[in-house]
Amino acid sequence: MKNLARVYQFKIAATVLFWCVPLILFPQQLLLSAGFPEYPSYMFVRMLGWAYLALCVGYYTGLRAALQGEKIMGPIYVGLVSNGGGCAYLLYYGLTGEWQNWGMTIQFVGWSSVLATLLITLGLYRFGIQDVSEKN
């Protein structure tokens, strides 16, 4: 369960640091100066930050279980859908040039998130799903 716990720890830390904190707490001007696109209202951006934080609460329950040598499948399935889908969308929009006019900081976060969500998805599959099927 140590490897699964590491996947959760990485997921929670990366999500809080690169998505929750900026989307919830950064002033609009700081987001703009980092290269985030301008919107009339950032209400949905802020709500997205809170949704990511809610996911982290779910991942934390999985982390606690893994640290105790147990596995609960709910956070694993949620993580596979969330990170796998997020990776696919981020990769698609990055490859189609959607970000090319955005600031370099935001582009860096976007491409880093492609890699992070891919690694998280693979880690959750390997240490969450595959480990279960190997024991049966």
Side-chain angles (χ1 to χ4, degrees), residues 22-131:
L23 296 181
I24 295 170
L25 299 176
F26 283 12
Q28 180 176 336
Q29 199 55 40
L30 183 56
L31 292 172
L32 290 171
S33 68
F36 203 83
E38 187 167 1
Y39 296 103
S41 170
Y42 281 75
M43 180 185 78
F44 289 108
V45 171
R46 307 290 186 204
M47 289 174 59
L48 181 60
W50 283 106
Y52 289 147
L53 187 59
L55 283 171
C56 287
V57 171
Y59 297 135
Y60 180 72
T61 63
L63 171 60
R64 285 188 53 175
L67 290 172
Q68 295 173 359
E70 301 170 6
K71 187 182 295 187
I72 51 177
M73 297 306 294
I76 294 169
Y77 294 136
V78 169
L80 287 170
V81 172
S82 174
N83 291 283
C87 180
Y89 268 118
L90 286 165
L91 183 60
Y92 171 79
Y93 284 110
L95 291 176
T96 59
E98 182 71 25
W99 308 334
Q100 68 187 3
N101 295 324
W102 294 15
M104 291 305 294
T105 302
I106 300 301
Q107 288 185 47
F108 175 78
V109 169
W111 286 112
S112 297
S113 294
V114 169
L115 179 60
T117 54
L118 175 64
L119 292 174
I120 292 163
T121 303
L122 294 174
L124 288 171
Y125 177 77
R126 171 65 183 97
F127 303 115
I129 301 294
Q130 199 173 36
D131 274 358

